[in-house]
Amino acid sequence: MEKSNNQIVTSEKAQDNISCSAVTTNSKQHLGFVDSFIDSFRRAPESNTSAENKRQTISKNELRLMAISTGLGTGLLVATGGRLRAAGPAGMVIAYAITGLVMLAPTVNSVAELAIAYPGLPGGFQSYYGKFIDESLGFALGWNYGFQWMCILALEFVTVSMTFKFWTTSVHADVFVAIFFIIVTLVNLGGAKVYAVTEAALNSIKIVFLVGFIIFGIIIDVGGGPNGFIGGKYYHSPGAFTSFKGLASVFVSGAFSLGGSEFISLSASETKHPKTAIRAASKLVYFRVIVLFLGSLTLVGLLVPRDSDNLMHGSGSSVSPYVLAAKLNGVKVIPHIINTVILLSVTSVACAAMYSSPRLIQSLAEQGLGPKWLDYIDKKGRPTRAWFITILAGAFGFIAAFKDHETVFMWLLSISGISFVMCWLFICVCHLRFRSALKLNGIDVKTLEYVSPTGIWGSYISIIINSLILVAQFWISLWPLGGDGKPNALSIFENFLGGPVFLICYIGHKLWTKNWKLYKKVEDIDVNKDRVVKDTEILHLENLEDKERYEKAPLWKKILIICFD
């Protein structure tokens, strides 16, 4: 019996020792995780380039989803209410069609050609301006674009508070801002892969929602809702158009809504197979514009009268036109679902803003266009110091509690929209300069891995339209809609703020560097530096394989290859 008791005691002591050992091991593992987490913020080995430090973790399908719906949030789901009021349903759709199909599609094709030729350049398209045109232009556009995404980050947080007003006004607006601020920060803390997976999930929800909204809108419009047949009632009264000035006012908002399509270039260095991924992603701009934008906006114009008090700038509280499309037509549950999707969309765009802005700022520093200490990339490929600056800028979103936050909303929207237009304009100029440099050096376009299907003429058309958009926005800003016919200085500040910001950066860099050249001569462009040149025979074999795959595919697959691959 004593022996048995001794065995029990010994066994208990052994179990205690095992438990203590397990606790110690778990503690060490915990400390190991903490140490590893802290260590991940240390600078990546400096012997590597920026492109090598960035992990290639974004897959082809993730880039496709990013191309379709990155940036698809406030501009489309909320701000279009003000555009519907200003231009009317037909005017709004026409403006978006011109901005998306005639201007943006060639721009995306051009940036895809450059991104595949130069996948390792820091900051993607942001590096093209200094390489092909002028360093001062690269400085001005780069900081303008980075500042723009900081504005978008704050803008999305303001939108969060505006969206929650649909459900409650009793909770302080900044509470919602704080919650979403933390969520977005944690997503970006995980690096490129966590961002890509999160964006893929959120973008999938946005796409499903917009396709579902189109189906829902068609059913309601043809008489499937409580209010019966609607048809084109609101095109007759209050009317399909307002005025030419109203139409012109939509273009910059359209540019802001469609912004983010150029992300395929920004993500090139973090994509596993740049050629196939970027080529496939660039084709999806047509689906993005025709189905998600024009399709859904056409239904919004059919279901919501442009003089509704709840549209932005109306006399009532602002509500998304997508929510109004369901609410005004007697559908009770759908508005809550739509509002929830809007919140997810806003989160997605905020994540994109916090992801892109630090990478652009870091690339500017690496190119010598910003403070050297901002070129920091940690072991996880995150531009940590630039990221902290972006977080501080995002705190501007706490203006949501400000009583005139809708006015600030429009200021931020204006800065963002103008910046997109200028960036797209000069991306196309870079494409033309790239082609000129190839021709000067006797390099055949056929040796490129990817050639823009819209070619140089697409770039020329895009440059003309972007220039006209800037002229129209200046006109609308100086002589605003509903004004007394006299120039309005305050309106210029509210609606054309991106222009002066660009000029200050451009002139300031010229004064600092004393570089008074407006542009590089074509012969001074080193077209082969940083360019990925594939062996001609290998490229020829790859093209033959693609051709053979297409020819052997059934008809339905050929259509998918043309449209999506």
Side-chain angles (χ1 to χ4, degrees):
M1 184 72 177
E2 184 178 350
K3 184 178 180 180
S4 177
N5 289 337
N6 288 337
Q7 285 177 343
I8 292 171
V9 171
T10 303
S11 175
E12 288 176 347
K13 286 181 178 178
Q15 288 178 353
D16 288 342
N17 289 335
I18 291 170
S19 299
C20 290
S21 176
V23 170
T24 305
T25 303
N26 289 336
S27 179
K28 285 182 179 179
Q29 287 177 347
H30 177 70
L31 287 173
F33 170 77
V34 171
D35 290 341
S36 176
F37 177 73
I38 294 171
D39 184 65
S40 71
F41 287 95
R42 301 187 193 279
R43 185 187 282 271
E46 292 190 19
S47 57
N48 296 333
T49 64
S50 165
E52 289 171 338
N53 287 335
K54 293 176 182 176
R55 301 185 175 192
Q56 296 179 329
T57 54
I58 300 176
S59 70
K60 182 178 179 179
N61 287 334
E62 287 166 348
L63 192 67
R64 276 173 167 166
L65 284 168
M66 288 164 64
I68 292 175
S69 53
T70 292
L72 197 161
T74 300
L76 176 65
L77 302 177
V78 179
T80 44
R83 300 309 99 194
L84 175 60
R85 174 179 293 280
M92 178 179 66
V93 171
I94 289 170
Y96 270 82
I98 293 171
T99 306
L101 293 176
V102 187
M103 183 276 289
L104 182 63
T107 303
V108 172
N109 289 331
S110 299
V111 81
E113 181 179 307
L114 290 167
I116 292 171
Y118 300 96
L121 283 179
F125 67 88
Q126 193 280 319
S127 296
Y128 306 156
Y129 310 127
K131 182 175 179 66
F132 295 109
I133 307 176
D134 175 59
E135 287 80 6
S136 295
L137 184 69
F139 175 85
L141 287 172
W143 281 104
N144 216 35
Y145 193 80
F147 178 59
Q148 161 210 293
W149 277 106
M150 290 182 191
C151 288
I152 290 175
L153 181 60
L155 182 68
E156 298 306 317
F157 292 140
V158 172
T159 305
V160 165
S161 67
M162 292 170 64
T163 305
F164 267 103
K165 285 182 179 178
F166 179 78
W167 288 305
T168 179
T169 56
S170 60
V171 181
H172 196 279
D174 286 344
V175 171
F176 301 120
V177 173
I179 292 169
F180 280 80
F181 200 135
I182 293 169
I183 292 170
V184 171
T185 303
L186 289 175
V187 168
N188 279 270
L189 181 64
K193 186 60 182 177
V194 174
Y195 164 75
V197 172
T198 304
E199 273 291 271
L202 294 175
N203 286 341
S204 298
I205 293 170
K206 288 190 281 186
I207 293 166
V208 170
F209 158 67
L210 285 171
V211 172
F213 177 82
I214 291 169
I215 296 169
F216 161 79
I218 292 171
I219 293 171
I220 295 296
D221 191 61
V222 299
N227 295 343
F229 182 78
I230 299 170
K233 179 173 72 174
Y234 298 130
Y235 271 64
H236 297 287
S237 177
F241 296 94
T242 54
S243 63
F244 179 73
K245 185 178 280 190
L247 174 67
S249 70
V250 178
F251 287 104
V252 166
S253 291
F256 170 71
S257 303
L258 291 159
S261 302
E262 68 285 348
F263 259 44
I264 59 174
S265 167
L266 186 64
S267 303
S269 62
E270 295 176 290
T271 304
K272 294 175 183 177
H273 305 289
K275 176 188 173 181
T276 56
I278 293 173
R279 182 184 64 189
S282 67
K283 291 183 179 182
L284 291 169
V285 67
Y286 297 100
F287 176 83
R288 176 185 173 105
V289 174
I290 295 171
V291 178
L292 302 184
F293 279 79
L294 299 183
S296 65
L297 287 175
T298 298
L299 271 303
V300 165
L302 289 171
L303 299 176
V304 181
R306 63 177 173 83
D307 58 356
S308 170
D309 290 337
N310 290 119
L311 289 173
M312 188 170 285
H313 305 312
S315 58
S317 60
S318 295
V319 177
S320 163
Y322 288 81
V323 173
L324 282 177
K327 188 178 179 182
L328 293 177
N329 291 287
V331 183
K332 295 181 179 179
V333 178
I334 298 296
H336 297 280
I337 297 173
I338 295 174
N339 228 39
T340 302
V341 174
I342 289 173
L343 284 175
L344 294 175
S345 300
V346 166
T347 305
S348 170
V349 177
C351 287
M354 192 176 280
Y355 172 83
S356 61
S357 187
R359 282 157 176 78
L360 287 160
I361 293 171
Q362 185 278 329
S363 74
L364 287 166
E366 188 176 334
Q367 296 170 68
L369 299 176
K372 182 66 178 172
W373 62 275
L374 284 173
D375 72 351
Y376 189 97
I377 294 179
D378 66 24
K379 292 183 178 180
K380 290 289 186 181
R382 296 168 301 211
T384 317
R385 292 174 181 170
W387 180 51
F388 289 147
I389 289 176
T390 304
I391 289 173
L392 290 174
F396 192 64
F398 286 100
I399 60 162
F402 180 51
K403 65 176 182 178
D404 294 325
H405 65 270
E406 280 193 26
T407 303
V408 180
F409 178 96
M410 294 309 299
W411 290 353
L412 296 174
L413 185 65
S414 171
I415 294 172
S416 306
I418 289 290
S419 183
F420 276 125
V421 173
M422 290 191 292
C423 284
W424 291 338
L425 190 158
F426 285 106
I427 281 173
C428 291
V429 173
C430 289
H431 180 239
L432 295 177
R433 302 275 289 168
F434 170 63
R435 288 292 189 90
S436 297
L438 289 178
K439 186 176 180 180
L440 183 69
N441 287 274
I443 301 171
D444 195 335
V445 176
K446 293 179 181 179
T447 62
L448 298 176
E449 286 194 77
Y450 175 80
V451 178
S452 166
T454 48
I456 60 173
W457 289 109
S459 291
Y460 278 121
I461 291 170
S462 185
I463 289 169
I464 292 169
I465 293 176
N466 277 307
S467 300
L468 291 174
I469 289 174
L470 289 174
V471 171
Q473 182 65 11
F474 182 77
W475 174 48
I476 296 298
S477 301
L478 193 57
W479 291 280
L481 280 168
D484 56 4
K486 297 179 181 178
N488 190 320
L490 179 61
S491 177
I492 278 280
F493 179 76
E494 288 181 355
N495 298 298
F496 207 75
L497 192 55
V501 171
F502 166 78
L503 287 175
I504 289 169
C505 291
Y506 180 77
I507 295 170
H509 189 266
K510 286 291 183 189
L511 292 170
W512 180 264
T513 60
K514 294 180 172 57
N515 170 23
W516 305 112
K517 292 182 180 178
L518 293 177
Y519 58 88
K520 290 182 178 180
K521 294 181 180 178
V522 176
E523 53 266 30
D524 293 334
I525 298 173
D526 189 351
V527 74
N528 289 318
K529 184 181 179 183
D530 300 314
R531 186 166 72 94
V532 174
V533 182
K534 185 163 281 190
D535 184 89
T536 309
E537 291 185 7
I538 295 174
L539 184 60
H540 180 64
L541 287 172
E542 286 180 353
N543 291 335
L544 283 176
E545 286 176 4
D546 288 342
K547 186 178 180 182
E548 186 179 355
R549 182 169 68 95
Y550 175 78
E551 289 175 349
K552 288 183 178 180
L555 180 61
W556 64 270
K557 199 168 184 178
K558 285 180 179 178
I559 295 171
L560 290 178
I561 291 171
I562 291 171
C563 296
F564 304 112
D565 198 36

